[in-house]
Amino acid sequence: MVEAGYVAGIDVGTTKICTLIAQTAANGQLDILGVGLHPSRGLRSGVVVDHAQAVKSVQQSVTEAEQMAQLPIARAYVGVTGAHIKSRNVTGRVRVASGDEITSEDVEQAIQSACDNVALPHDREIIHTLVRDFTIDGQRGVKRPLGMHAARLDANIHVVSAAAGALRNVAAAVEETGVQVQKQVLESVATSLAVLAEDESDLGVVLMDIGGGTTDLAIFANGAIAHSGAILVAGNHITSDIAKLLRISYKQAEEVKKKFGTAFADMTNGDDPVLVSEIGTHEQVRVPRGLIADIIQARLVEIFQLTIKNLEQAGMYDTVTSGVVLTGGGSQLPGTLEMASEIMGNTPVRIGSARGVGRMANRVASPIFATGVGLVLYAANEGADARPPATPYYLELVEKARSWWRKYAQPRISAYLPGN
Ligand SMILES: Nc1ncnc2c1ncn2[C@@H]1O[C@H](COP(=O)(O)OP(=O)(O)OP(=O)(O)O)[C@@H](O)[C@H]1O
Ligand SMILES: [Mg+2]
């Protein structure tokens, strides 16, 4: 055990479970101590569809990170996404006693009154109440109202809610591995911490995390979140299209996409043949590379058009002044940046990789790690600690469970996973 505290984040994605263990270094950067990256089973678009499979995947990812860090995790921050997430901007008002300064109680009451304005059915829970800014006596854009004089204080809040059942199912899968869920964090909120520069979120930026099952969207403006949402089309849909249209297995379609895929057909010689093996007959067929690009292009166009629609419906499309930041595995196909820019009105687009990381920065540089790094940053900002309580009995128990896992369960499960 190290003396100083450390934090843990688990990104429970549709294609991979990524566990990170990290520690804040003296220079303020985040040192990554352990990385666990394991294919995700039992989850679809942010929702658990097979509890037992999900538990196994989380356990393997956690164990891998713990082994690399040589540290046990007792608590972690866990990512949340999916179609069940809803967000809206609400305002809550308090009257300030005339002539008085605004106190922290006034601020708390204004925030509470904003939350009270959200009618929430019993099967939903609020997961974030994020302060956008305050309005004092009609003047919008106040970041720190404490100590100011006013008659009226309005808190402008971004409230994110989630289906209670979906939240609990993800938490239950994690907790069954012996890791307590300290907080469930909206993935785009976590990702923004890892990839956005301060001036971008001041000016207005769209963050798009093109994952496997969902494309998570968020708009940041005036230094705060202004909108969040998700579309249920992402990288795995591209793979499925390739598999169906070329009549090949999903596994092969994934390989073909990563090796030969581009967002535009004219980025390569479209006539170059790619050899694939047809499902059922196993016959070798030559497919022109341009056809693969056409299939990819159709889905990517859909993803960007749905994004525009989502932002327009929220009345936010015009807020995007400093452009678009793309993360997630689905942003990695060559030409994706250019396509995003073309469809979204020639706006500047860049890939968002995690920043502010010291040790193991290269290991987590791919945009697939952006959410995981965001989760450990979130945890570190809140002063969290992933260390187990230092009672000898507890440590002995955890070590027993983990050695049982390593010795018996892990080798058996590994045998059933692809690539073995
Ligand atoms: N080099 C690559 N080129 C193209 N696509 C890629 C590449 N690497 C990963 N992908 C695609 O990215 C997707 C997975 O991305 P990511 O790891 O960000 O998703 P996830 O976090 O598991 O899913 P979600 O966020 O939707 O729950 C898959 O569809 C995969 O095919
Ligand atoms: Mg993801």
Side-chain angles (χ1 to χ4, degrees), residues 13-16 211-214 235-236 254 257-258 328-330 332-333 368:
T14 304
T15 63
K16 52 112 205 327
T214 57
N236 287 1
E254 182 74 9
K257 175 177 85 169
K258 287 185 181 163
Q332 296 199 75
L333 285 165
I368 69 162

Side-chain angles (χ1 to χ4, degrees), residues 206-210 215-217 303-304 307 324-327:
V206 183
L207 178 62
M208 279 184 79
D209 179 347
I210 311 178
T215 296
D216 295 331
L217 306 177
I303 291 173
F304 293 117
T307 299
V324 178
V325 176
L326 297 180
T327 64

Side-chain angles (χ1 to χ4, degrees), residues 347-360:
T347 189
V349 183
R350 71 170 181 89
I351 292 284
S353 300
R355 43 178 74 207
V357 180
R359 204 171 138 193
M360 280 207 243

Side-chain angles (χ1 to χ4, degrees), residues 1-14:
M1 288 253 316
V2 288
E3 280 304 313
Y6 52 89
V7 291
I10 309 177
D11 172 10
V12 187
T14 304

Side-chain angles (χ1 to χ4, degrees), residues 83-127:
H84 63 101
I85 304 285
K86 291 204 174 93
S87 71
R88 42 184 295 219
N89 292 327
V90 288
T91 297
R93 173 169 295 180
V94 285
R95 301 216 157 271
V96 183
S98 80
D100 273 4
E101 284 182 1
I102 295 169
T103 63
S104 54
E105 283 94 66
D106 295 326
V107 172
E108 267 165 40
Q109 269 180 30
I111 294 174
Q112 188 53 49
S113 137
C115 295
D116 294 345
N117 287 340
V118 181
L120 212 60
H122 71 279
D123 58 350
R124 298 192 64 79
E125 267 175 38
I126 290 181
I127 52 168

